[in-house]
Amino acid sequence: MVFNYSVIGLAVGAALMTMPVLAQAPNDANIERINVTGRVFNDYKVGTASGAMRGDIDLMDTPQSVNVIPDFVTDEQLATNLAEVLVNDSSVTAGTTRWNRQVFSIRGFELDSGNGYLINGHQQWSHYVQPIETLQQVEVLKGPSSMLYGQSGPGGLVNMVTKKPTYDSMLDLGFDTDGYGSTRVQLDAGGSLNDAQSIRYRSVLVKQDTQYWREYAANGDNQERDRWLGYLNLEFDLSDDLQLALKYDHTEDKTGIDAGSWLDKQGNVIGDRQTIWDAPWAFTDNTVSNLGAELTWHMSDDWKVKVGYNDQQFNRQRLDSAPQYTEDPFTNGYSIKPFDRYDDWQHKTAYVDFTGEFGFAGMEHQFLIGANYLDYYYLQRRDGGKKAITVIPGQAVDMPDYDYHNVVAGPATTYQYYGFYLQDLMTINEQWKLLAGVRYDEQKKEGEGENSYALSPKFGVIYSPTDNGSVYVNYSKSFTPQGAVNNAADMNDGLDLKPEYGIQYEVGTKWELFNDSLLLTAAVFDITLENITVSEKLPTAIGDFTDITTQGGEQKHRGFEMGAQGQIADSWFVTSSMMYLDAEYHTGDEREGNTPIDAPKWSANIWTRYEVTDNLAMNFGAIYVGERYADTANTITKDGYVRFDIGAAYTTQLMGKDVSIRANVKNLFDTDYIEGGQYNMVTLGQERNFSLALETKF
């Protein structure tokens, strides 16, 4: 779980080292334990990203900026949620965590809950805190990726890759706690269910009770969270060429609501940093399950077909106090508008990929043709929320008698979209590779102007002057459907809006140094988001019309990134990145020339591991995020900050089992900082906190 080498790495490393022995002595009981000093693999560096090209193609052969964050690194950091994972990529900036969900931006563009997140290449409805204990790695795909995944934003995608079954038996038990009394217990088990090892499994169980550092203004109680997670992945070798994988996970996550702090016009936090304006009885209760299947047929050594399906059911009750922003809540109090709400989201996704390698016209081709499909369903019930209640800080407010069960549900929102894609990575010679791809998408949704069509191309060129280095350029495009104008007071009411299109030009380079143990990357990018909707008030009302909505606005984001990941000395490992970003609206309205919220000019991070001995390792980390705006008008700013973290881990043997102890200190110097969010819902950085974890491997 938290200290030692990743399970996948251990399984591979152990298998490689023991192959000669196994050939002579298949009985594990006869194998002598061998103590190996030093590393035989690199935990910080990952060579492939399955989401970048819809296949396990080497990152050096991927003409796109991609960062892969392995679970070994985030286990070292004692990460408990996706936000704590993504701090390892400076192109990702955090937004609000309102309503027990996490919002992120990549290269300054906010990720949408419906199309910004993937799990094993499937789009997921991510309106909740994603569990990370089931993940093998997190891939940050930067820039438009609509050619492979359909509707999505121009900044990029986050693809979460889950843990796979293991051939050999393994069992990890872990426990961690922190200075507030939070606890998390984890079990991670895997192995084969038969002697032939043709049926394998991986299972994860998590129980977490979190005590947060912020307190409710009404009674001084801390926010709490209760979560449990179950995960099972089964693999069946139906034949030498045919494999079936079945996956199921279930999450139950209930927490009090902390919609964030408020900032005044000068950017100062209103009241104490610990103050939660929501009522103590407010909560969100999420129940999320995913049932998936994947069938892989190796037709030959060079050709493969993969078919996947996932059914996501997401139910949420949200009893919200909905505090209303005010700059002076202490004089006359502030108002709340409570409501009880039920949400039912259903995501059904499917894909089929046909991949192969062949030679044609003097070139080697890595070919992909496929299709994917999404069926979306959403239903809401809501009771209350009309009457405002005045609250004085320190004054308790009774929980309202609302019940969404008494409300007749309105019509459900549904849509389906499907896309067909074609991609070819052509090797012209040892120095040159060419990537070309195109996708056709169609979205069908009930209602006028709700059908959308899009064509998404992608091109890339890779030049490799040496075996360990490459330079690439790419062009890619994204699209996001916009529907129709729905405002009776708008002159263009009913107008079919065109999709927003994101267009990126990127030039980058990648180098593997120190015998391929360290990966260095750099990229310069230029992204333009077109067809931004602009809604304005008319200078003078025309009949019953007071507003007008048009399209044609743009958002331009330019910048560069650098990154390093891997081993830089025998006992020293590092993962680090930085980004410069220049982001502006060009919309012709009040946003003209302004910078989007949570788009810093500079950001950087580093996390290192130094192995003092074979049993003792030290860690150091730092995160820098520059000044950001907290409102679209750019009148309220959030100061830049630097946060330092440290940690140490010690591994020993206890009754023949590997036992690890880890201690981490996050925000070592107790820096006051704001992570992200708009001025009326900002997420404050946690004060200094100490974490302790134990892990036993069987």
Side-chain angles (χ1 to χ4, degrees):
M1 172 195 95
V2 288
F3 318 118
N4 273 352
Y5 312 116
S6 66
V7 171
I8 298 299
L10 276 173
V12 174
L16 292 174
M17 290 186 289
T18 58
M19 280 176 62
V21 181
L22 289 174
Q24 300 177 12
N27 187 348
D28 291 344
N30 296 326
I31 299 175
E32 180 181 359
R33 178 180 291 275
I34 301 175
N35 293 322
V36 180
T37 59
R39 284 174 180 263
V40 294
F41 53 88
N42 188 339
D43 302 298
Y44 274 52
K45 179 176 175 287
V46 180
T48 62
S50 60
M53 304 275 280
R54 292 192 76 97
D56 293 325
I57 295 179
D58 195 293
L59 288 177
M60 298 296 290
D61 294 332
T62 303
Q64 179 182 357
S65 182
V66 181
N67 186 23
V68 182
I69 306 168
D71 63 346
F72 182 86
V73 171
T74 55
D75 285 347
E76 277 191 337
Q77 297 168 343
L78 296 184
T80 61
N81 56 63
L82 189 59
E84 294 173 350
V85 174
L86 294 176
V87 295
N88 294 286
D89 190 322
S90 292
S91 70
V92 182
T93 50
T96 182
T97 58
R98 193 174 193 175
W99 305 317
N100 195 29
R101 59 173 292 225
Q102 296 175 317
V103 176
F104 306 99
S105 297
I106 299 181
R107 291 180 171 176
F109 291 99
E110 183 176 315
L111 296 180
D112 185 85
S113 294
N115 55 48
Y117 303 86
L118 310 171
I119 294 184
N120 299 328
H122 288 278
Q123 281 192 336
Q124 293 283 293
W125 182 255
S126 296
H127 217 61
Y128 67 109
V129 177
Q130 286 282 353
I132 65 169
E133 294 86 359
T134 64
L135 303 183
Q136 173 183 315
Q137 63 190 40
V138 175
E139 303 169 353
V140 182
L141 317 179
K142 304 175 189 181
S145 294
S146 286
M147 197 281 290
L148 292 178
Y149 295 105
Q151 55 177 312
S152 56
L157 294 171
V158 172
N159 183 40
M160 294 164 278
V161 182
T162 56
K163 294 177 178 178
K164 303 298 189 293
T166 60
Y167 284 86
D168 298 326
S169 296
M170 50 82 62
L171 175 62
D172 288 1
L173 294 177
F175 170 81
D176 55 75
T177 185
D178 67 10
Y180 302 107
S182 303
T183 59
R184 182 176 57 163
V185 180
Q186 300 184 63
L187 180 150
D188 186 355
S192 298
L193 297 177
N194 61 346
D195 292 338
Q197 295 188 322
S198 60
I199 305 176
R200 301 170 296 278
Y201 80 96
R202 188 69 174 271
S203 180
V204 176
L205 294 175
V206 178
K207 179 64 174 70
Q208 181 182 18
D209 295 289
T210 304
Q211 297 285 333
Y212 291 94
W213 64 287
R214 282 164 52 83
E215 303 171 348
Y216 291 101
N219 59 11
D221 288 347
N222 293 93
Q223 180 195 9
E224 298 180 358
R225 180 187 182 201
D226 181 18
R227 177 178 73 104
W228 81 269
L229 163 72
Y231 167 82
L232 178 63
N233 193 338
L234 296 171
E235 284 183 353
F236 302 87
D237 293 336
L238 304 180
S239 70
D240 290 342
D241 303 318
L242 190 63
Q243 182 184 89
L244 173 66
L246 302 176
K247 181 178 74 73
Y248 177 76
D249 64 76
H250 183 85
T251 300
E252 293 189 4
D253 190 353
K254 184 175 182 179
T255 181
I257 295 180
D258 179 1
S261 289
W262 297 336
L263 302 181
D264 62 21
K265 293 180 180 179
Q266 289 71 44
N268 301 312
V269 175
I270 297 173
D272 295 331
R273 291 180 60 84
Q274 289 84 2
T275 299
I276 301 174
W277 301 111
D278 300 81
W281 40 258
F283 69 86
T284 60
D285 190 356
N286 296 328
T287 301
V288 188
S289 62
N290 288 278
L291 177 62
E294 187 176 87
L295 186 66
T296 305
W297 177 27
H298 293 270
M299 303 170 61
S300 67
D301 290 342
D302 297 323
W303 293 93
K304 178 176 69 175
V305 176
K306 182 180 287 188
V307 180
Y309 174 80
N310 191 80
D311 185 341
Q312 182 189 36
Q313 304 289 323
F314 180 7
N315 300 304
R316 179 182 72 177
Q317 181 186 1
R318 183 170 124 209
L319 179 60
D320 203 330
S321 57
Q324 306 298 298
Y325 171 82
T326 177
E327 280 199 82
D328 187 7
F330 302 100
T331 302
N332 299 313
Y334 62 99
S335 63
I336 62 175
K337 293 184 178 181
F339 61 87
D340 192 11
R341 170 173 158 178
Y342 169 79
D343 300 283
D344 178 9
W345 287 284
Q346 298 177 25
H347 260 219
K348 295 179 175 65
T349 58
Y351 72 86
V352 55
D353 284 347
F354 182 71
T355 57
E357 298 182 9
F358 61 92
F360 179 73
M363 296 181 290
E364 295 297 321
H365 298 260
Q366 291 175 275
F367 185 76
L368 163 70
I369 183 171
N372 66 338
Y373 172 81
L374 168 65
D375 186 328
Y376 172 88
Y377 171 93
Y378 174 61
L379 180 68
Q380 180 190 127
R381 296 172 183 241
R382 173 172 168 149
D383 186 17
K386 297 180 180 179
K387 182 179 179 181
I389 302 171
T390 301
V391 177
I392 303 297
Q395 170 188 313
V397 179
D398 293 335
M399 184 172 67
D401 186 19
Y402 294 140
D403 186 359
Y404 65 82
H405 292 91
N406 297 326
V407 178
V408 177
T413 300
T414 62
Y415 68 83
Q416 296 81 37
Y417 91 80
Y418 55 87
F420 303 93
Y421 43 89
L422 174 69
Q423 176 181 272
D424 191 7
L425 178 61
M426 296 162 274
T427 301
I428 301 172
N429 54 42
E430 291 184 357
Q431 284 75 43
W432 292 93
K433 289 183 172 67
L434 176 65
L435 175 72
V438 66
R439 176 191 181 97
Y440 171 77
D441 269 285
E442 184 170 331
Q443 174 179 282
K444 293 185 178 296
K445 187 175 181 180
E446 294 184 4
E448 183 179 1
E450 297 293 347
N451 292 340
S452 296
Y453 310 89
L455 199 66
S456 304
K458 183 176 182 179
F459 301 99
V461 178
I462 303 174
Y463 171 65
S464 302
T466 65
D467 292 340
N468 66 324
S470 66
V471 179
Y472 68 87
V473 297
N474 83 23
Y475 166 87
S476 55
K477 192 173 182 180
S478 69
F479 81 97
T480 307
Q482 298 301 299
V485 178
N486 183 19
N487 179 6
D490 197 297
M491 285 190 65
N492 289 325
D493 183 37
L495 174 69
D496 294 347
L497 296 174
K498 299 177 183 178
E500 288 184 348
Y501 292 105
I503 299 171
Q504 174 184 266
Y505 298 91
E506 179 177 287
V507 180
T509 184
K510 303 177 183 180
W511 294 85
E512 291 183 316
L513 306 179
F514 306 135
N515 295 321
D516 298 340
S517 64
L518 179 68
L519 175 64
L520 298 181
T521 61
V524 178
F525 57 88
D526 185 318
I527 306 174
T528 301
L529 180 62
E530 299 179 340
N531 289 343
I532 291 179
T533 302
V534 179
S535 296
E536 298 177 284
K537 290 289 184 182
L538 292 170
T540 303
I542 302 176
D544 294 332
F545 298 123
T546 58
D547 304 328
I548 183 170
T549 297
T550 58
Q551 284 184 287
E554 292 186 346
Q555 194 172 332
K556 291 185 176 293
H557 292 213
R558 302 182 178 94
F560 65 85
E561 301 169 347
M562 299 177 66
Q565 190 177 64
Q567 186 176 10
I568 56 178
D570 288 343
S571 301
W572 193 6
F573 299 79
V574 65
T575 178
S576 179
S577 64
M578 63 82 63
M579 178 183 71
Y580 169 78
L581 177 66
D582 181 15
E584 281 190 356
Y585 287 108
H586 297 280
T587 52
D589 59 2
E590 68 274 4
R591 295 172 291 179
E592 179 66 30
N594 291 348
T595 298
I597 295 172
D598 289 321
K601 279 195 175 295
W602 292 97
S603 54
N605 74 281
I606 186 171
W607 178 263
T608 67
R609 172 187 178 94
Y610 183 76
E611 297 179 341
V612 182
T613 68
D614 291 341
N615 303 102
L616 177 63
M618 304 294 294
N619 295 101
F620 169 79
I623 298 168
Y624 169 72
V625 180
E627 185 179 82
R628 295 136 294 147
Y629 290 108
D631 64 333
T632 305
N634 288 182
T635 60
I636 304 175
T637 60
K638 302 188 289 276
D639 292 337
Y641 67 90
V642 181
R643 191 191 86 194
F644 295 95
D645 305 329
I646 61 170
Y650 182 76
T651 303
T652 186
Q653 288 267 320
L654 183 63
M655 294 186 292
K657 307 300 181 184
D658 288 335
V659 178
S660 299
I661 304 171
R662 168 167 288 280
N664 282 8
V665 180
K666 184 179 292 184
N667 194 5
L668 178 63
F669 299 111
D670 202 20
T671 301
D672 290 343
Y673 66 96
I674 299 173
E675 288 189 335
Q678 192 170 292
Y679 67 94
N680 59 347
M681 58 173 104
V682 297
T683 298
L684 300 185
Q686 188 182 54
E687 58 190 15
R688 180 171 52 233
N689 191 22
F690 175 83
S691 300
L692 180 67
L694 303 174
E695 181 194 28
T696 302
K697 290 181 177 291
F698 294 87

